[in-house]
């Protein structure tokens, strides 16, 4: 069986570890590859490779760095079909969703290509008599990315394009569930002309992560995953003096107002709730329906749409499915446990996705779209992130109650409202406690030139990913204040013993 390698110092390297993990095709429920979980020495080798490459790379002009990323962008476009099929094979998401993931990652690469402008700092002349000040945005050193299974292309590309563009070197630790894409990205960067040692991939699990979080040569850590792990990553990295951005879990709410465009809202909710089998941190998992009348209309139409959905393999010949499998047998069991708890706690199960069978893929990890009504805030399926194709409807009497529920939830990643009322929409945008807000947009993921990140326990660390926050995260500011002596020396130079001012 093919074994996924590490990529260190510009070379594909077989691991000597005797610990391995199987990589499954979730649509067929069979192991298709194997990945070695790297030894401590192999992880340290990756860090050392990045550390040694930093000095020269950091002194490379931003324009030259941008030109490599331009070539990388072209190679991503040329290889889009092959990469999307690899994502579908190891993750399970449908082909068009894999293409969409690559496109959103590519947009960050495009943004990073503007680094000569983004990293140019500021200058002020004559802040005092004959005194000028200017700032430099300098790279940090070795940066680390620890990324989840659900976006094996997009989430790494939230991180390393800006890290590399700003002059840092990088070590990527991808999910062991779908690791092949990381190696393909490394090969394309090398093909684009990136010098050896600047981008490295080390496969592994928590043992590898702990070394990356504590090694003194690592200067910054970017992470996306569940909230408990994000909190651990942030605490550990911070305790070891590293800059850290750790994005955690979500329970994204939408408010459905009585005046909403129902056709638009229902179509948006179905796609946002069940796309990628709900395995997205921006998946829409809660609808707060304002009033029983609008709730009744919503659940009737949702059931009709769900009944027409096609669930199956992510790669098909002919008509594409709407939704693929979930990532693993263990995750399927976890989702089914959540569904069971919803029934036990008294929610009304309108559509049950358990026991879903796909002809020819009987061993696949499929969970069908699932719909609950009459969910209350004390229920487990409301409080916790399920990370699967489960949508819950909470009936509320008015907008104020709906907003209060959104704001009281521990997560604050994304929130949306469906309404025709501009005043309500504007007030929602100001008052909702969420980092990303949609007005008649169910998945309000910002474009690459804005920054992505939530509030509350959806993020740990002050800076979000990509956009201007991403540039700030991967650089540190240095301000230089200078005065040049006159060509003819003054006769008297008095000493000053007080704080200098610019009067």
């Amino acid at each position: 069986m093919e074994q996924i390698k590490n990529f260190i110092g510009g070379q594909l390297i077989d691991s000597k570890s005797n610990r391995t993990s199987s990589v499954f095709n979730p649509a067929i429920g069979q192991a298709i590859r194997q990945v070695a979980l790297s030894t401590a020495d192999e992880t340290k080798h990756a860090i050392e490779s990045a550390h040694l490459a930093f000095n020269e790379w950091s002194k490379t002009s931003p324009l030259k760095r941008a030109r490599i990323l331009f070539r990388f962008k072209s190679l991503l476009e040329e290889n889009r079909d092959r990469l999307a099929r690899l994502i579908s094979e190891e993750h399970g998401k449908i082909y068009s969703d894999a293409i969409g993931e690559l496109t959103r990652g590519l947009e960050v690469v495009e943004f990073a290509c503007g680094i000569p402008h983004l990293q140019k700092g500021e200058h002020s002349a004559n802040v005092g008599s004959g005194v000028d000040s200017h700032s430099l945005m300098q790279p940090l050193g070795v940066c680390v990315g620890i990324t989840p299974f659900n976006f094996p292309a997009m989430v790494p590309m939230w991180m390393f394009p800006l890290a590399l563009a700003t002059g840092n070197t990088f070590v990527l630790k991808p999910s062991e569930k779908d690791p092949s894409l990381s190696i393909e990205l490394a090969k394309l960067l090398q093909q684009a002309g990136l010098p050896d040692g600047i981008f490295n991939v080390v496969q592994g699990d928590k043992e590898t992560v702990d070394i990356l979080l504590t090694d003194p040569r690592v200067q910054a850590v970017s992470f996306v995953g569940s909230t408990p792990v994000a909190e651990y990553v942030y605490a550990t990295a911070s305790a070891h003096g590293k800059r850290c951005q750790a994005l955690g879990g979500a329970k994204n709410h939408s408010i459905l107002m009585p005046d909403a465009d129902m056709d638009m809202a229902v179509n948006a909710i179905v796609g946002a709730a069940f796309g990628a089998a709900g395995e997205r941190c921006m998946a829409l998992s809660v609808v707060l329906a304002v009033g029983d009348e609008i709730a009744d209309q919503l659940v009737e139409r949702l059931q009709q749409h769900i009944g027409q959905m096609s669930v199956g393999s992510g790669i098909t010949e002919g008509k594409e499915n709407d939704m693929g499998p979930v990532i693993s047998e263990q995750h399927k069991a976890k989702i089914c446990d959540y569904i069971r708890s919803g029934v036990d706690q008294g929610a009304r199960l309108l559509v049950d996705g358990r026991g879903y069978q796909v002809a020819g893929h009987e061993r696949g990890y499929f969970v069908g779209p699932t719909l609950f009504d009459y969910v209350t805030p004390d229920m487990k399926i409301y409080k916790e992130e399920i990370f699967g194709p489960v949508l819950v409807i909470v009936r509320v009497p008015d907008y104020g109650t709906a907003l209060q529920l959104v704001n009281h939830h521990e997560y604050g990643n994304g929130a949306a409202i469906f309404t025709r009322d501009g005043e309500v929409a504007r007030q929602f945008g100001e008052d909702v406690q969420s980092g990303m807000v949609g007005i008649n947009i169910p998945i309000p993921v910002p474009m690459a030139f804005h920054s992505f990140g939530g509030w509350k326990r959806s993020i740990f660390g002050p800076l979000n990913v990509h956009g201007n926050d991403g540039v700030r995260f991967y650089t540190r500011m240095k301000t230089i204040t200078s005065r040049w002596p006159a060509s003819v020396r003054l006769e008297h130079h008095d000493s000053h013993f007080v704080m200098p001012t610019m009067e």
Side-chain angles (χ1 to χ4, degrees), residues 64-339:
K64 289 182 178 179
R65 298 195 296 257
R67 285 171 178 162
I68 291 172
L69 288 173
F70 268 116
R71 290 193 288 271
F72 177 60
K73 170 187 175 295
S74 295
L75 290 169
L76 284 172
E77 291 169 334
E78 291 171 16
N79 290 272
R80 193 186 316 232
D81 176 72
R82 178 176 65 85
L83 298 176
R85 289 180 178 276
L86 183 57
I87 292 170
S88 291
E89 182 183 41
E90 289 190 353
H91 175 276
K93 66 178 62 176
I94 61 174
Y95 175 82
S96 60
D97 197 21
I99 289 288
E101 171 183 350
L102 285 165
T103 300
R104 294 309 296 262
L106 190 145
E107 289 166 358
V108 181
V109 178
E110 291 173 333
F111 176 71
C113 286
I115 203 63
H117 171 72
L118 297 169
Q119 200 178 354
K120 66 185 181 183
E122 299 171 336
H123 180 269
S124 296
N126 293 314
V127 297
S129 179
V131 177
D132 302 328
S133 286
H134 71 277
S135 61
L136 305 177
M137 299 173 69
Q138 295 187 309
L140 307 175
V142 179
C143 298
V144 163
I146 303 167
T147 57
F149 72 83
N150 59 323
F151 287 104
M154 186 185 75
V155 172
M157 284 194 281
W158 280 356
M159 302 171 183
F160 73 77
L162 278 174
L164 300 182
T166 50
N168 299 282
T169 55
F170 204 85
V171 178
L172 173 65
K173 204 300 286 183
S175 170
E176 59 272 30
K177 292 182 174 66
D178 46 8
S180 296
L181 211 285
S182 62
I183 298 299
E184 296 305 313
L185 294 175
K187 291 178 181 177
L188 293 181
L189 282 167
Q190 187 178 55
Q191 190 177 341
L194 188 71
D196 294 345
I198 293 164
F199 182 80
N200 306 271
V201 179
V202 59
Q203 312 291 351
D205 56 4
K206 185 177 182 298
E207 290 187 22
T208 298
V209 168
D210 284 341
I211 294 170
L212 295 172
L213 297 180
T214 57
D215 191 291
R217 293 167 294 186
V218 173
Q219 300 300 307
V221 176
S222 299
F223 171 84
V224 175
S226 68
T227 285
V229 181
E231 194 166 23
Y232 171 80
V233 166
Y234 181 76
T236 306
S238 299
H240 288 82
K242 306 182 193 317
R243 185 175 294 191
C244 186
Q245 52 182 188
L247 280 67
K251 194 71 174 180
N252 303 312
H253 291 56
S254 70
I255 298 175
L256 182 66
M257 297 296 292
D259 67 340
D261 182 323
M262 282 296 289
D263 289 335
M264 180 183 70
V266 170
N267 286 330
I269 290 166
V270 168
F274 303 122
E279 294 175 321
R280 296 190 286 213
C281 67
M282 288 298 287
L284 185 60
S285 54
V286 178
V287 178
L288 302 168
V290 178
D292 284 334
E293 183 178 349
I294 198 75
D296 289 341
Q297 293 178 40
L298 174 66
V299 296
E300 180 182 356
R301 295 176 73 163
L302 285 175
Q303 289 179 88
Q304 292 173 357
H305 276 66
I306 291 171
Q308 298 168 2
M309 286 180 62
S310 172
V311 180
S313 174
I315 302 175
T316 59
E317 299 301 328
K319 186 179 183 297
E320 187 177 54
N321 291 308
D322 298 308
M323 197 179 88
V326 298
I327 188 65
S328 67
E329 187 173 13
Q330 294 81 5
H331 192 54
K332 175 183 175 180
K334 181 180 179 182
I335 295 167
C336 291
D337 283 344
Y338 273 113
I339 297 171

Side-chain angles (χ1 to χ4, degrees), residues 346-424:
R348 186 178 297 178
L349 182 59
L350 301 179
V351 183
D352 189 350
R354 294 174 293 181
Y356 204 96
Q357 291 288 314
V358 175
H361 297 269
E362 287 76 13
R363 295 176 60 185
Y365 310 134
F366 292 96
V367 179
T370 299
L371 179 64
F372 279 101
D373 193 7
Y374 292 96
V375 174
T376 57
D378 60 318
M379 294 179 181
K380 185 177 180 180
I381 57 172
Y382 172 81
K383 292 189 291 186
E384 298 184 13
E385 182 180 37
I386 299 173
F387 219 63
V390 180
L391 177 64
V392 305
I393 309 299
V394 179
R395 296 174 178 239
V396 294
D398 51 48
Y399 167 77
T401 304
L403 181 66
Q404 186 178 46
L405 285 174
V406 178
N407 288 348
H408 283 186
H409 202 282
E410 66 171 322
Y411 295 127
N413 211 42
I417 189 169
F418 294 97
T419 182
R420 299 175 190 265
D421 189 325
E423 181 183 2
V424 171

